[in-house]
Amino acid sequence: MIDHNEQALGLQDNTELLHRISGRLADRFAGIFAAETVERYVFESYTALARTAKIKTYLPSTTEHFANDRLNALATSKDGVRSDVPEVLFVCVQNAGRSQMAAALLNVEAKGRIRVRSAGSVPAAELDPAVVAAMSEMGLDLTRDYPKPLTDDVVRASDVVITMGCGDSCPIYPGKRYEDWELADPAGLPVAAVRIIRDEIHDRVKALASSLLHDPAQTRKNPTHD
C-alpha cells in the first residue's frame, strides 16, 4: 500500500539516494555513531525539510548538509566530539529573515572562530527575498541558504542561544547562555525597511562576537537567560 504522505514528500522516489547519503555520513561519523543512527537522522532530516520546501530539486543536497550539521551537533552535545570554538544558535519563527541575517553576519565577524547555526520554530519554504536582497548589498550571498527546523540536538550543542521573536518554543537547558533580541520581523517589508533591521542585527552581532572571542570561556561560566 502506498503511503500518500511519503508520496507527497517524494520519499519513495529518493530512498536509494538517501541511502547513499547515509552511507557517506556513516563513514564520516564512523566510531561515533552507528550506521542505523546516521540513517535515521538522514531520513528524518529529509522529511522535515520536504514538508516546507517549494522546490524539491535541491532537497538531497540540503538534506545531506542538514543531517551532517545535526550529527555534528549531537556528537558535540554527547561529548563524542569536543568543539574547540564557541557555538552559537540563532532562532526565529521562520528562519527566513532575522536568524539567517544574524548567522551570516556572525560568520563574517568570527572568521571561522565561532561555529554558527540558525533555525526556525516554524520554518518557511524559502528565505525572504527582501532579506536576500539586503544582504547582497553587503556582498553576502544567501541564495543557497534554506530555512531549517529547530531541533533538540542543535540546541544542546550550543553555548549561546539567541532567540528573535520565537517565544517559548526554544527548549531551555542549564549551562547555556540565552539572549532574546527584540527585533522587527522583516517578513513582507521592503528592502529599505529590512536594511534598518539588518544594520541593527549587525551592531548586536559585532558586540556578541567581541564578547565571545575576547573570552570564549564566559559562554560556559556565566550562563544567563534574559
Side-chain angles (χ1 to χ4, degrees):
M1 180 179 294
I2 296 176
D3 186 319
H4 294 290
N5 186 48
E6 288 188 0
Q7 188 178 47
L9 296 175
L11 188 58
Q12 292 179 329
D13 295 336
N14 287 295
T15 297
E16 184 178 343
L17 182 54
L18 294 176
H19 281 306
R20 290 203 296 271
I21 292 171
S22 299
R24 286 197 294 271
L25 292 181
D27 289 341
R28 189 175 303 166
F29 289 94
I32 301 174
F33 297 120
E36 293 79 8
T37 299
V38 173
E39 184 173 282
R40 175 169 59 84
Y41 263 66
V42 169
F43 276 75
E44 283 180 357
S45 296
Y46 174 90
T47 301
L49 293 174
R51 287 196 180 102
T52 57
K54 279 187 177 180
I55 302 174
K56 309 294 184 183
T57 307
Y58 305 110
L59 263 177
S61 61
T62 55
T63 294
E64 184 162 1
H65 178 272
F66 185 42
N68 179 69
D69 194 46
R70 291 184 61 201
L71 288 164
N72 272 318
L74 182 64
T76 299
S77 66
K78 290 181 174 295
D79 288 328
V81 175
R82 179 68 63 182
S83 177
D84 56 356
V85 297
E87 305 214 9
V88 176
L89 172 65
F90 293 104
V91 184
C92 67
V93 178
Q94 296 190 316
N95 192 218
R98 290 165 291 188
S99 55
Q100 291 280 0
M101 288 192 285
L105 291 166
L106 183 55
N107 272 321
V108 170
E109 296 296 331
K111 297 179 175 62
R113 293 171 292 173
I114 298 173
R115 179 172 290 169
V116 186
R117 297 184 177 93
S118 69
S121 52
V122 186
E126 59 188 0
L127 267 62
D128 188 301
V131 166
V132 174
M135 295 299 284
S136 70
E137 294 176 348
M138 300 182 67
L140 299 177
D141 183 6
L142 267 59
T143 56
R144 294 187 179 182
D145 291 300
Y146 57 96
K148 298 169 288 296
L150 179 63
T151 57
D152 186 71
D153 35 64
V154 297
V155 179
R156 287 182 180 275
S158 302
D159 299 305
V160 181
V161 179
I162 297 176
T163 56
M164 303 170 169
C166 65
D168 296 326
S169 60
C170 190
I172 304 297
Y173 294 107
K176 302 186 183 301
R177 172 176 160 186
Y178 290 87
E179 295 183 16
D180 183 54
W181 292 359
E182 293 187 11
L183 297 158
D185 188 348
L189 297 180
V191 175
V194 173
R195 212 176 279 135
I196 296 171
I197 300 170
R198 177 202 67 193
D199 292 345
E200 183 179 352
I201 291 174
H202 199 187
D203 288 340
R204 291 173 180 257
V205 161
K206 288 177 181 176
L208 175 66
S210 178
S211 70
L212 295 181
L213 297 175
H214 176 68
D215 186 5
Q218 288 300 107
T219 61
R220 296 179 177 87
K221 287 180 181 176
N222 298 315
T224 60
H225 183 205
D226 294 336

